Amino acid sequence: QTRQRASDLFKLLVSLSERIARRVSAQKIELEECKSRDELRLKGDLIMSNLYRLEKGMTAEMSDLSLLKPMEIELDSRLTPTQNAQKYYSEYRKQDTAEKKLRELIELGEQEAKYIDSVFDSLSRASTESELAQIRDELAAEGYIKHAKSKTKLPKALPPIEYMSTDGYRILVGRNNRQNDTLTLKTASKQDLWLHVQNITGSHVIVESFGGEIPRQTIEEAALIAAYNSSARGSSLVPVDYTLVKYVKKPAGAKPGMVIFTNNKTLYVTPDDDTVNSLKK
């Protein structure tokens, strides 16, 4: 039952991911087509600078000092030269607006693709009915699936995964995006240490500092834990960023689990099952 539910969610995420990729790809093609817009403005400028020799109904080759050879410009014979220029300017403005909008849409699409990847990553590490239910609930809240009308209550959410460093510091790991947000933005103290793999999907990791200096070995162990609880689990020399919680912020309107941070340093670690599991509580 649990495996079937996980499999259904995996299929849904793959389908969403493909749909977003197709949409962004089509928008990038449209954006490429907007690049000719400067030529439209130039045509309008050339008509305006040649008004003295143009009459309604003419077509003409025109040039200015910036052109190496004359440019042939189509003129609508039903319009006056000034109206023809205005038509080119209008088309230029339309493409200029379209380009700005497309850049925004592409950026949103790429952010959404990253979000779906992060859900995929949480799902790949989920092993209990409770973890699957939390992921389903998150996807429903984001509008990707319908809320289940089940009479049974959602299984109780599991707490963050807990580790203990060799130096005796508690290390907490979010199981999914919503828990990542709660852990980083609500539970953790501003002086705690926050870690996350660099530019890869993975869990938020918190080292409780109790306001003191965290030993180097604990930071290294927490970085190993962050790499292990990410999509880079099987990789070597994984870059892990770390900073104080007070430097981690959530941009307005950002998807669950998505944050921005500053004042960070980076450690390179190779996740190792035995070491990480030996620290697990």
Side-chain angles (χ1 to χ4, degrees), residues 157-177:
L158 294 170
I161 306 165
E162 200 174 316
Y163 296 85
M164 185 67 75
S165 80
T166 310
D167 301 305
Y169 284 78
R170 204 159 74 118
I171 300 169
L172 301 171
V173 177
R175 293 175 188 269
N176 52 56
N177 285 312

Side-chain angles (χ1 to χ4, degrees), residues 262-280:
T262 52
N263 296 60
N264 55 293
K265 294 177 181 167
T266 307
L267 264 178
Y268 289 82
V269 295
T270 300
D272 163 47
D273 292 25
D274 294 339
T275 306
V276 172
N277 288 327
S278 72
L279 300 169
K280 197 167 183 181

Side-chain angles (χ1 to χ4, degrees), residues 29-43 71 88 91-92 95-96 99:
I29 291 167
E30 272 187 77
L31 182 63
E32 203 57 37
E33 287 164 2
C34 290
K35 285 189 176 164
S36 62
R37 73 186 190 290
D38 285 335
E39 197 176 281
L40 295 166
R41 188 176 59 180
L42 177 61
K43 285 179 176 179
M71 177 188 273
Y88 278 113
E91 199 55 44
Y92 164 78
Q95 286 205 10
D96 197 46
E99 180 180 359

Side-chain angles (χ1 to χ4, degrees), residues 92-188:
Y92 164 78
R93 283 192 299 273
K94 209 186 295 176
Q95 286 205 10
D96 197 46
T97 306
E99 180 180 359
K100 289 188 181 83
K101 188 67 190 163
L102 282 165
R103 285 192 190 282
E104 277 172 34
L105 290 172
I106 288 165
E107 167 119 10
L108 285 171
E110 286 171 346
Q111 288 297 333
E112 190 182 7
K114 275 186 194 166
Y115 169 69
I116 295 299
D117 279 352
S118 73
V119 180
F120 200 96
D121 180 51
S122 304
L123 182 58
S124 67
R125 289 195 303 281
S127 56
T128 65
E129 192 56 50
S130 169
E131 287 169 309
L132 289 184
Q134 295 304 316
I135 290 170
R136 280 190 69 83
D137 197 43
E138 179 188 325
L139 286 168
E142 290 301 307
Y144 290 108
I145 53 177
K146 288 193 174 120
H147 276 286
K149 289 183 179 170
S150 155
K151 288 193 174 72
T152 56
K153 279 172 68 178
L154 268 179
K156 194 169 181 298
L158 294 170
I161 306 165
E162 200 174 316
Y163 296 85
M164 185 67 75
S165 80
T166 310
D167 301 305
Y169 284 78
R170 204 159 74 118
I171 300 169
L172 301 171
V173 177
R175 293 175 188 269
N176 52 56
N177 285 312
R178 280 165 139 191
Q179 197 171 76
N180 285 335
D181 275 353
T182 305
L183 184 58
T184 300
L185 306 164
K186 292 185 180 157
T187 318

